[in-house]
Amino acid sequence: MSTFLVFSHLAINLEEYSLMKKINLLAVLLLLLMSCQKDDEIVVSQCEVPNNFTEVNLTHQSAVLNWTSTGAESYKIEYGFSGFLRGNGAVVTSNTESITVTGLMVNMSYDYYVQAVCSTNNVSLFSNVNTFTTLSPPVSTVFSATLSAMNLFQGNLSDLSPSPYAFEYKLNTELYSDYASKHRIIALPSGQTMQYLGEGLPDFPDNTVIAKTFFYNEDDREPSSNKKIIETRVMIKINGVWEFGDYVWNAQQTEATLDPNGSTIPVSWIDANGVNKSVTYKIPSQTDCFTCHQSNSQPTLIGPKLRTMNFNLNGVNQLQKFINNGHLTNSPAPSSLSTLPNWRDENLTDEVRMRAYMDVNCAHCHTSGGFHNVNYYEAMHLNYEVPFDASNIYQLRYSIMARIQTSVQDYSMPFIGVTTPHAEAVDLIVNYLQSLD
């Protein structure tokens, strides 16, 4: 074969080879294009981030969390105390757009995040942070072994900060209890109120809880100084009848324990004049409580009469505040109701001051159906609204003066609950009664 023919044959082969490479490259490109078109047909959308969050049915230890989402098979929820770093919280799962989270702490703020799971390899981003706060526990309407379990207070027990379901009240003239200070609260059942019945005691619904805490400031010149809490008396209306329980505080001021037996405890403090004072404080027994808290042998309250609470506190009438807050209903305007005067108001006459003092401190026993009027022939009627001439105060003035100046058991007045005469009140009453001669 000639050299020309060899080179000609080689050139033809090279052209064929080049053509084949082009064909093969084109085939590969066509295959790739077809493959991409097929992939486009089965592309899965990114799993949607949940939204529209709501928190409902909040309690002191649980919450129901709701949200909306599309196409998810399940959800991952991470939660913890507000401010926690994601990845460090508790994780739970749900197959629906809702979950009930339990075992939470009372009155605590929580953050949570939700992630949608559409498939094993397709999950959403976590949602933005959402927040809810659990409620305080409901006030107990049965007597617990400890005061803390009654849930009347929140935070540190000794701070006496009322539960959100309770409110404080004050009396214009207060009962004397060996110079102890008092903190008073009422907890009404949810959705119910005190009902106006007149200027005396309102009608309290069943499951009302009333608590009065007795304490001494270390120094009365500085009310914010340390205080020594002695007892918390609790009254619960159960099936229409008031029941009484007394909680005695421990020395550490961290807890109080239900104690029906009564006891005594020495107390010292500095009064408002800078004088060192001391008493042997008597904590009443359950029987002692009933001695005073009765009318016609039925348990009753003493202090929270509407006319005794009808006065201004921080520029606002207390009864009007009750009305505005939905605690008192069916009441006329407080301005149309009478007010028991403040016995300490020296602008009032001595008779008015004395009668106001006797109303709170004495009238619960010295009245129709009261303990003394049932058990003694020397009946007095010491309610403030009773006219002086019908009270028997004048006729029994010498007995009154003798009894209020002593601390002799079964003789002195008040009959129980006091171990030291109330010097300021004694001066007022004795001076006035002597002026009647």
Side-chain angles (χ1 to χ4, degrees):
M1 184 178 294
S2 67
T3 301
F4 175 78
L5 289 175
V6 170
F7 278 105
S8 296
H9 182 72
L10 180 60
I12 292 171
N13 288 339
L14 288 175
E15 288 178 2
E16 291 177 350
Y17 177 73
S18 176
L19 179 61
M20 289 299 297
K21 283 182 66 178
K22 291 179 180 179
I23 292 172
N24 288 338
L25 179 60
L26 180 61
V28 169
L29 292 174
L30 288 172
L31 287 172
L32 287 173
L33 180 61
M34 292 175 65
S35 175
C36 289
Q37 290 175 340
K38 186 175 181 180
D39 286 346
D40 286 343
E41 294 174 358
I42 61 172
V43 167
V44 178
S45 301
Q46 175 65 42
C47 200
E48 178 183 303
V49 178
N51 53 33
N52 298 326
F53 293 90
T54 59
E55 301 84 29
V56 298
N57 296 336
L58 293 172
T59 73
H60 62 287
Q61 59 185 8
S62 65
V64 177
L65 314 179
N66 299 314
W67 59 89
T68 59
S69 183
T70 302
E73 295 179 354
S74 62
Y75 301 91
K76 176 180 177 182
I77 302 94
E78 184 174 356
Y79 67 94
F81 299 139
S82 285
F84 84 96
L85 295 177
R86 192 163 55 78
N88 296 318
V91 176
V92 291
T93 59
S94 174
N95 294 324
T96 65
E97 297 174 339
S98 178
I99 190 169
T100 301
V101 183
T102 61
L104 304 175
M105 295 185 65
V106 302
N107 197 25
M108 183 65 67
S109 181
Y110 285 86
D111 291 344
Y112 71 98
Y113 304 83
V114 180
Q115 181 185 53
V117 179
C118 294
S119 66
T120 303
N121 299 317
N122 187 14
V123 298
S124 75
L125 298 174
F126 273 97
S127 67
N128 292 329
V129 64
N130 299 277
T131 303
F132 65 90
T133 301
T134 55
L135 304 180
S136 293
V139 172
S140 175
T141 55
V142 296
F143 291 103
S144 303
T146 60
L147 183 61
S148 60
M150 293 296 296
N151 300 325
L152 284 162
F153 303 102
Q154 59 183 337
N156 292 327
L157 194 63
S158 61
D159 291 341
L160 302 179
S161 177
S163 157
Y165 312 115
F167 57 93
E168 292 187 53
Y169 71 98
K170 294 182 181 296
L171 307 180
N172 205 25
T173 283
E174 299 184 344
L175 186 77
Y176 169 70
S177 303
D178 280 343
Y179 295 101
S181 297
K182 296 163 189 174
H183 177 273
R184 301 172 174 86
I185 60 173
I186 296 172
L188 297 168
S190 177
Q192 299 191 55
T193 72
M194 301 180 288
Q195 296 283 330
Y196 173 81
L197 290 179
E199 298 183 349
L201 293 169
D203 181 21
F204 291 93
D206 274 348
N207 297 319
T208 295
V209 183
I210 299 179
K212 182 166 62 172
T213 299
F214 296 69
F215 65 93
Y216 289 85
N217 295 314
E218 187 176 85
D219 189 339
D220 282 340
R221 296 170 300 179
E222 300 178 14
S224 61
S225 65
N226 292 333
K227 61 180 179 288
K228 181 177 180 61
I229 307 175
I230 308 298
E231 59 171 327
T232 297
R233 302 177 190 176
V234 177
M235 294 150 281
I236 307 176
K237 191 175 183 182
I238 302 173
N239 296 325
V241 178
W242 288 101
E243 297 188 9
F244 308 98
D246 202 355
Y247 291 84
V248 180
W249 284 69
N250 61 18
Q252 297 76 28
Q253 304 284 273
T254 56
E255 186 60 277
T257 305
L258 187 63
D259 183 355
N261 300 316
S263 58
T264 58
I265 181 171
V267 182
S268 298
W269 76 100
I270 301 173
D271 72 9
N273 297 316
V275 178
N276 291 318
K277 291 288 189 72
S278 62
V279 297
T280 300
Y281 184 92
K282 183 177 180 181
I283 298 171
S285 67
Q286 196 157 6
T287 302
D288 291 335
C289 291
F290 184 72
T291 298
C292 291
H293 284 275
Q294 65 162 296
S295 178
N296 295 308
S297 299
Q298 294 299 311
T300 188
L301 302 176
I302 295 174
K305 298 174 182 175
L306 293 189
R307 59 179 171 79
T308 314
M309 298 187 290
N310 187 21
F311 67 105
N312 285 357
L313 280 172
N314 301 318
V316 179
N317 180 273
Q318 183 172 219
L319 293 189
Q320 188 62 55
K321 183 177 180 181
F322 294 164
I323 295 169
N324 294 345
N325 291 340
H327 300 320
L328 174 64
T329 53
N330 299 328
S331 174
S335 59
S336 68
L337 304 178
S338 65
T339 296
L340 183 73
N342 183 347
W343 82 274
R344 296 184 182 277
D345 186 352
E346 296 182 355
N347 293 316
L348 303 174
T349 66
D350 287 350
E351 180 184 334
V352 168
R353 295 174 62 198
M354 180 193 71
R355 294 300 306 279
Y357 183 89
M358 286 185 167
D359 180 275
V360 170
N361 287 276
C362 314
H364 48 275
C365 286
H366 292 281
T367 191
S368 298
F371 177 78
H372 284 305
N373 283 16
V374 169
N375 292 279
Y376 294 89
Y377 68 89
E378 294 182 329
M380 288 189 290
H381 300 274
L382 301 182
N383 302 78
Y384 182 77
E385 62 270 18
V386 174
F388 183 84
D389 291 342
S391 69
N392 276 345
I393 291 174
Y394 179 78
Q395 291 82 348
L396 297 172
R397 63 191 184 281
Y398 297 116
S399 176
I400 294 172
M401 288 188 284
R403 290 171 182 264
I404 66 173
Q405 297 184 73
T406 66
S407 298
V408 178
Q409 187 173 351
D410 297 331
Y411 176 78
S412 61
M413 290 293 154
F415 189 60
I416 60 173
V418 173
T419 63
T420 303
H422 193 179
E424 297 81 0
V426 167
D427 288 345
L428 169 69
I429 296 170
V430 169
N431 288 338
Y432 175 72
L433 294 180
Q434 286 178 340
S435 73
L436 299 180
D437 291 334

